[in-house]
Amino acid sequence: MGKLGLKEAVAMALGGMIGGGIYSAFGIVVAIAGKVAWLAFLIAGGIAMCAGYSYVKLNELTDDHGGAPTYLEDIVGNSTIAGMTGWTLLFGYIGSMALYAYAFSSFFSEMIGRLHFMGVPVANTISVLLIAAFVGLNLMGASETGKAEDVLTFFKVVVIGGFGVWGVWYAFTAETLTFGFGSLGFSPVIGAAMSFVAFQGWQLLMYDQDQFENPEENIRKAIYFSIPVATLLYVLVAFTTVSILELSVIAVAPEVSLLYAALPFMGRVGAFIIGLSALFSTASAVNATLFSGAQFSRDLIDSGLLPQQFQGDGDQEVPSKLVIVLGALSAAFAVYGSLSSITSFASLAFIAVFGAMSYLAFRERDDIDDLLTPVPVVGMVGTGLFFPLLLYNLWLNDPGTFYLVLLISIVVVGSELIYFEREPIEQAVPGLEHD
C-alpha cells in the first residue's frame, strides 16, 4: 500500500479545519463577536499557528513522533499527565466529529425540508448515518481515506474561496462591506476562543506519521500552509456573511447562515452549491478526524495509556473496536448535544492542550534548535486568555450550557484520574487488589 504524500497531508489538515470553522462553528462565533467575527477567526488562526509551530519544534526534538501525549511522556516523563492529555484530546475529537455531523445534518435538513421518518427527525438519522459511513471507510484503510480526502478538500476550497471573494466584492460594490470596528472589545477574543475547535485539524497529522512519505518535512509544510489558508477562508466568509445578512438573521439559524448569505448574489443555484459544499466539507471533517483519531488511539494503546481491550485483531491498520466506539460516542453526542455545548466543550479541550504544548516548547527552548521563543509565548498567553474568557462568557450568557460543559469536564477528568491512578487506589482499598 502506497504512503500518503504532501497533498494528502494538506488535504487532511484543511479537511479537519474548514468543515469545523465555516459550516459548524461559524454561526456561534458570529453570535458572540458580531460584525468583528472576521477578527475572531484571525486571532484564533494566529494562536493556532503559534501552537502549530510549537508542535513542529517538539516533533523535531523527540525521537518518538506521536503528538502531545508522546511529547509529554518523552520530555516530562510523566505517564499520568501524558495519558490524561491523550484522553482529553480523544474527547475533543468526539466533540469535533459530533459538531461536524450536527452541521451536516442541519444543512441536509435545510435543503430537503425538516422531515421526520417514523417519528424520528431526519437530521438525527443523517448524523448517525454519516458517522457510520466514515467508520466503514476508515476500517477499509488509509489509502482509500487519503484519496477521498483529496477530492473532498479540493471541491470545498474552490467553492468557499469563490463564495468569499465574490461575496466580499458584492458587499463592497453594494457599499455594505463592514469591518465592525465600532463594536470592538473582548467579544473578538471570546469568539476566537469559541472557534478554536475550527483550528484543530492540522495536529491530527502527528498521530501516524509513518503513513506519510518524508513525514517530518511533509507534515511541517502541511501545517505551515494549511493554517494560514484556513484562516484566510474563515476571514473572507465572515466578511461576506456579516456584511450581507443582519445579525438577527444569523442568530435564528447560525449553522446554515451561509445558505442565506449566498442567495442575494449567487441565487438559488449558488446557494444549492454552497449547501453541497457544506455537506462535502463537514463529511470531510468527520473523515479526517476519525481517521487520524484512530491512529492516535492506536499509539495510546501501544503506550499503555488506553485499555488493551481496544486493541485491534491481528495486523489491523487501525484499532477497529475503538473506531466503532469513537463513532458511536460521536453519534450520541451529535443527537443529544446542542451546537453551543458541543462547540464549547471541544474548543476548551483543544485550548488546554495547545496551550500546554506551547508552554512545553517554551520550557525546552534551550534544547530546541532555532526556536523563535516569542512564538510559543504568544501561544501560551493566547490560550491562557481564551480558557477563562470562554467559561466566563458561557456562565454569563448561557448558564445551561456552562453547567453542561462543566459536568462533562468533571466526568472526563474524573474518569482519567480513576484510570491512571487505579493502582494506588487498588493498593489503598482492601479487596481491590488484582491477583
Side-chain angles (χ1 to χ4, degrees):
M1 181 179 295
K3 291 191 175 184
L4 305 178
L6 177 59
K7 65 178 182 178
E8 284 81 19
V10 171
M12 292 183 70
L14 280 173
M17 287 190 285
I18 295 175
I22 290 177
Y23 292 117
S24 49
F26 177 82
I28 296 293
V29 176
V30 173
I32 294 172
K35 296 291 186 180
V36 287
W38 64 270
L39 183 57
F41 283 115
L42 189 62
I43 293 170
I47 300 302
M49 192 69 240
C50 293
Y53 177 82
S54 299
Y55 265 79
V56 167
K57 289 301 182 180
L58 290 171
N59 200 50
E60 295 172 354
L61 178 65
T62 57
D63 294 329
D64 297 323
H65 297 158
T70 302
Y71 305 150
L72 285 167
E73 191 152 27
D74 285 359
I75 296 172
V76 179
N78 189 312
S79 60
T80 296
I81 294 176
M84 291 181 68
T85 300
W87 280 41
T88 299
L89 284 170
L90 272 183
F91 280 104
Y93 300 146
I94 290 169
S96 298
M97 287 187 285
L99 177 64
Y100 308 146
Y102 185 102
F104 182 97
S105 66
S106 296
F107 274 92
F108 187 90
S109 298
E110 190 71 19
M111 292 171 72
I112 68 169
R114 299 191 177 279
L115 305 178
H116 288 69
F117 178 70
M118 297 180 64
V120 178
V122 168
N124 290 349
T125 305
I126 293 301
S127 293
V128 173
L129 290 177
L130 175 72
I131 293 173
F134 281 110
V135 166
L137 180 62
N138 276 269
L139 294 178
M140 290 171 60
S143 61
E144 289 79 3
T145 303
K147 292 173 183 176
E149 200 60 45
D150 285 348
V151 175
L152 291 170
T153 300
F154 176 78
F155 174 79
K156 67 187 177 184
V157 167
V158 169
V159 172
I160 280 299
F163 170 83
V165 173
W166 189 1
V168 168
W169 175 251
Y170 173 84
F172 175 76
T173 55
E175 298 183 352
T176 61
L177 188 65
T178 177
F179 290 88
F181 287 132
S183 56
L184 284 177
F186 276 110
S187 63
V189 181
I190 298 172
M194 181 66 84
S195 74
F196 216 66
V197 64
F199 291 92
Q200 62 86 11
W202 55 267
Q203 47 91 44
L204 296 170
L205 301 176
M206 297 293 185
Y207 299 139
D208 194 5
Q209 298 183 38
D210 290 339
Q211 294 287 335
F212 297 96
E213 301 171 354
N214 193 10
E216 197 169 286
E217 181 69 12
N218 281 337
I219 289 175
R220 178 181 64 83
K221 290 179 178 178
I223 288 173
Y224 290 166
F225 177 79
S226 62
I227 296 177
V229 169
T231 304
L232 176 61
L233 290 173
Y234 299 155
V235 169
L236 285 173
V237 169
F239 269 131
T240 295
T241 307
V242 301
S243 295
I244 292 175
L245 292 181
E246 294 292 334
L247 295 179
S248 58
V249 176
I250 298 174
V252 171
E255 64 272 25
V256 294
S257 56
L258 268 67
L259 283 178
Y260 299 110
L263 284 171
F265 66 98
M266 297 180 72
R268 291 185 177 275
V269 173
F272 180 76
I273 293 173
I274 291 296
L276 286 180
S277 175
L279 299 181
F280 276 109
S281 295
T282 49
S284 172
V286 172
N287 180 39
T289 307
L290 185 59
F291 171 69
S292 296
Q295 308 294 346
F296 171 57
S297 302
R298 187 186 63 187
D299 293 339
L300 293 181
I301 293 170
D302 292 342
S303 301
L305 302 178
L306 271 178
Q308 288 294 322
Q309 288 85 344
F310 289 122
Q311 182 66 56
D313 299 324
D315 297 326
Q316 287 182 323
E317 194 172 14
V318 295
S320 58
K321 295 176 184 177
L322 195 52
V323 168
I324 294 170
V325 170
L326 290 175
L329 289 174
S330 299
F333 208 171
V335 170
Y336 295 108
S338 68
L339 182 62
S340 180
S341 63
I342 297 171
T343 306
S344 302
F345 174 75
S347 288
L348 286 168
F350 294 116
I351 288 169
V353 175
F354 285 13
M357 292 304 98
S358 296
Y359 167 73
L360 188 60
F362 172 74
R363 199 191 78 161
E364 301 300 314
R365 59 192 180 278
D366 292 337
D367 296 323
I368 297 177
D369 295 334
D370 302 320
L371 180 73
L372 299 174
T373 304
V375 178
V377 170
V378 172
M380 279 192 305
V381 173
T383 52
L385 187 62
F386 284 171
F387 201 93
L389 277 178
L390 180 52
L391 284 176
Y392 177 73
N393 178 72
L394 288 175
W395 176 75
L396 195 64
N397 298 309
D398 194 356
T401 298
F402 170 79
Y403 289 118
L404 179 59
V405 169
L406 191 63
L407 176 62
I408 295 171
S409 301
I410 291 172
V411 170
V412 169
V413 174
S415 301
E416 293 170 348
L417 287 172
I418 290 173
Y419 181 79
F420 289 105
E421 298 298 328
R422 63 193 183 282
E423 292 183 0
I425 293 174
E426 290 170 353
Q427 295 170 1
V429 180
L432 290 184
E433 300 91 340
H434 293 297
D435 295 331

